[in-house]
Amino acid sequence: MTANRVEWPQKYEVLRVRVSAAEYNEAVDCIVEAARRGQAALASFYPAHGIVSSDRDERLLERVNSFDLIGADGQSVRWALNALYGLCLAERVYGPETMLRVCERAAAESLPVYLYGGSSDAVLDALSSNLLERFPGLQIAGAESPPFRPLTSEEDSEVVRRVRESGAKILFVGIGCPKQEHFAYEHRESLGVVQLCVGAAFDFHAGVKPMAPSWMQRRGLEWLFRLASEPRRLAGRYVSTNSLFVAGFAQQWVRQRVRGEQARSHTQKMNSKSTTN
């Protein structure tokens, strides 16, 4: 990190999404440092579903690729980064876990947070209560559950006013992908805070949805746990996006290997010519 700006982790393309080569400590350090300095920043955490959704939506892709941090939320995304670029990332950067780690640091450093999302006020109440119990020093500057419909311009202006007047330094956005990514992008300048798009983290930490056991998470089987928990809602998503992710990764892996072989062949020819001359 320099004196003037936060240096975010380097990014690499998985399909066409630029994913950050970071583990928890580096990601959380950058998020907290940006909040401490009062810098606007955007972060999201992408499993295979997010990668495929963005790769197939040009508008979303352009916006997401401008984010400061795109964490490898899914193990498959981490594995893809390691395989494609020879990285040695030992852990993914899971959105719900990152939220807890950021809250812990925010409590220790007196950085107020704001909660925007959740399916109801009851979920927000439970989330706030659980976070405060776990992190007693945490300052929750505000919490609201927006309507499922698009906001009117007046409602949007009121959201901006409430967040800015709250004094929050970090805004957790939990309204689902890609709605939360569009919201964060469109409000980067007006809100001027660090925004973290954390998806289902609100429901997990409020205790209204179960989280996959750690052993399933480590083995990249969280999608199977969630599918078993919500088969009607998630079956179509996982069948299509998981297949598309695997196919897209395979194509990218082959292309990069072909390019690598071509580059090596060209280098060998040039070296051979130089030796002959």
Side-chain angles (χ1 to χ4, degrees), residues 8 11 17 47 62 181 196 226 230 247:
W8 295 89
K11 292 180 178 179
V17 177
E62 181 179 1
E181 283 74 24
L196 276 64
R226 294 193 65 188
E230 301 179 81

Side-chain angles (χ1 to χ4, degrees), residues 47-115:
H49 169 68
I51 297 289
V52 170
S53 297
S54 295
D55 184 61
R56 297 167 66 85
D57 182 333
E58 294 295 336
R59 179 167 173 261
L60 178 60
L61 179 68
E62 181 179 1
R63 291 182 165 194
V64 164
N65 279 345
S66 75
F67 277 37
D68 301 280
L69 177 79
I70 295 293
D73 180 278
Q75 293 287 13
S76 59
V77 180
R78 178 180 69 87
W79 294 334
L81 279 173
N82 287 345
L84 290 168
Y85 301 103
L87 304 178
C88 298
L89 298 174
E91 58 188 9
R92 62 175 178 162
V93 183
Y94 185 40
E97 175 64 21
T98 305
M99 181 178 180
L100 293 179
R101 295 188 184 209
V102 170
C103 283
E104 182 177 26
R105 289 281 299 277
E109 301 191 29
S110 299
L111 296 171
V113 306
Y114 200 104
L115 307 174

